Amino acid sequence: VEFDCMVIVVNSCVMLYLIGVGLGDERDITVRGLDAVRSSDKVYLEYYTSILGVNHSKLEEFYGKSIVLADRNFVEEQADEMLLDAAKFETISFLVVGDPFGATTHCDLMLRARKIGVVTEVIHNASIMNAIGCCGLQLYSFGEAVSLVFFTESWKPNSFYSKISKNLHHGLHTLLLLDIKVKEPNMEMLARGKTVFEAPRFMTIAQAIDQLLEIENELQEKVYSEDTLVVGVARVGQKDQMIKAGRMIDVRNFEFGAPLHSLVIPAQLQPIEQEFLDSFM
């Protein structure tokens, strides 16, 4: 007597990789990260919390893999179906500019994956949070980083002001992460039932300083002024990285060029920090 048998093979090696790809270009990925990408069935690149200095096609060419761009809606609304459920049966790489834990969104994705039993692995890389050391300020002397969003006529959040004040009070530097808007819907068109996306916007150092001074003028607690020492950085980790230190008003008028921009408000400087910053004055 012969019996037909159905054999079900469960691949115990499938998983969800969260991989940092660094700050510069396609070659910034680690060797371990590249191995993971090349072993994956599908590869996604999250591109709304930060951007690389090259188009994603460069990554596809170097990695030898097709890459799906994942916008905010994808990550926040479709990830359960497209990423987490799929990762039970396929190996998926989710690429993040900088380091995977540089944004709360990615921590949330990791937690959601673990709750449904998806095996995960994180492969780290450089991010602005540690690469900001390029300006010569010691990383252990930084306090809480703050985000600065684009103001609108009706919305001008100022929670960053008290955080900067607190950092300075404790002798800690403040890294300001400047807003980016990628694939943001036009609210007026959305109200009419049409989905139209705004052109990408990246906050410049000049815009950031204008907003900082606007809130200082409003609250008048003398946390900083036009004469406060600041450090502006642009395209950190890329070949044309730029750093400029000086009075806030002078740095505001300096041309930093293409995005991404960040800003630092230093506290009391150590001698080696002062010497390092002097080279960028």
Side-chain angles (χ1 to χ4, degrees):
V1 180
E2 295 182 358
F3 295 92
D4 292 330
C5 296
M6 177 180 294
V7 179
I8 300 177
V9 178
V10 178
N11 186 351
S12 61
C13 296
V14 298
M15 68 168 58
L16 172 65
Y17 288 108
L18 272 70
I19 304 173
V21 296
L23 298 169
D25 58 29
E26 70 277 13
R27 298 174 112 20
D28 280 4
I29 192 170
T30 64
V31 174
R32 190 156 67 95
L34 186 57
D35 287 343
V37 167
R38 289 177 174 169
S39 70
S40 296
D41 299 300
K42 293 178 182 176
V43 182
Y44 296 86
L45 172 65
E46 185 269 282
Y47 79 111
Y48 73 89
T49 60
S50 190
I51 58 168
L52 276 176
V54 295
N55 188 277
H56 80 281
S57 61
K58 289 285 188 180
L59 277 64
E60 291 182 320
E61 181 181 351
F62 185 70
Y63 299 168
K65 285 282 186 177
S66 295
I67 296 175
V68 178
L69 296 179
D71 59 15
R72 182 187 299 274
N73 180 68
F74 179 95
V75 176
E76 296 180 355
E77 304 295 335
Q78 303 175 39
D80 285 354
E81 176 184 354
M82 301 298 293
L83 285 180
L84 303 185
D85 288 345
K88 297 176 182 177
F89 308 101
E90 299 177 297
T91 293
I92 294 177
S93 283
F94 185 75
L95 310 181
V96 177
V97 177
D99 185 83
F101 289 145
T104 306
T105 295
H106 311 136
C107 298
D108 176 67
L109 182 63
M110 172 70 77
L111 289 173
R112 286 153 61 193
R114 289 176 175 174
K115 285 178 180 178
I116 62 173
V118 172
V119 180
T120 60
E121 181 176 338
V122 177
I123 301 176
H124 296 283
N125 211 315
S127 76
I128 188 61
M129 302 298 287
N130 60 350
I132 193 60
C134 65
C135 70
L137 299 178
Q138 302 301 298
L139 292 179
Y140 56 76
S141 293
F142 276 82
E144 181 180 358
V146 301
S147 297
L148 195 61
V149 301
F150 281 110
F151 285 176
T152 67
E153 288 298 321
S154 59
W155 188 58
K156 298 183 179 182
N158 60 17
S159 60
F160 62 83
Y161 189 78
S162 61
K163 294 176 181 179
I164 296 171
S165 178
K166 182 179 179 180
N167 282 345
L168 291 173
H169 176 74
H170 291 291
L172 300 172
H173 313 313
T174 304
L175 170 62
L176 291 94
L177 304 172
L178 309 189
D179 201 7
I180 74 171
K181 299 289 187 185
V182 178
K183 204 175 179 181
E184 294 285 329
N186 180 292
M187 302 311 294
E188 182 179 340
M189 296 302 293
L190 202 60
R192 299 178 183 177
K194 297 180 180 180
T195 301
V196 177
F197 296 106
E198 302 275 7
R201 291 192 295 154
F202 306 94
M203 184 181 288
T204 65
I205 288 167
Q207 290 171 320
I209 289 175
D210 285 345
Q211 293 190 180
L212 287 171
L213 293 175
E214 181 177 347
I215 296 303
E216 176 59 61
N217 291 334
E218 176 186 321
L219 300 181
Q220 297 187 6
E221 295 180 13
K222 298 182 179 179
V223 173
Y224 49 76
S225 71
E226 291 184 350
D227 294 322
T228 296
L229 173 67
V230 297
V231 187
V233 298
R235 300 173 301 285
V236 170
Q238 300 178 28
K239 291 181 179 179
D240 61 346
Q241 161 181 301
M242 185 171 290
I243 305 171
K244 176 65 176 177
R247 296 189 312 146
M248 188 178 285
I249 192 62
D250 295 330
V251 171
R252 184 250 179 264
N253 294 325
F254 186 80
E255 179 52 59
F256 284 90
L260 294 173
H261 294 185
S262 299
L263 188 66
V264 178
I265 300 179
Q268 184 70 35
L269 298 175
Q270 300 175 22
I272 192 170
E273 292 178 312
Q274 183 66 66
E275 183 179 354
F276 215 118
L277 281 188
D278 284 346
S279 66
F280 300 123
M281 295 287 194

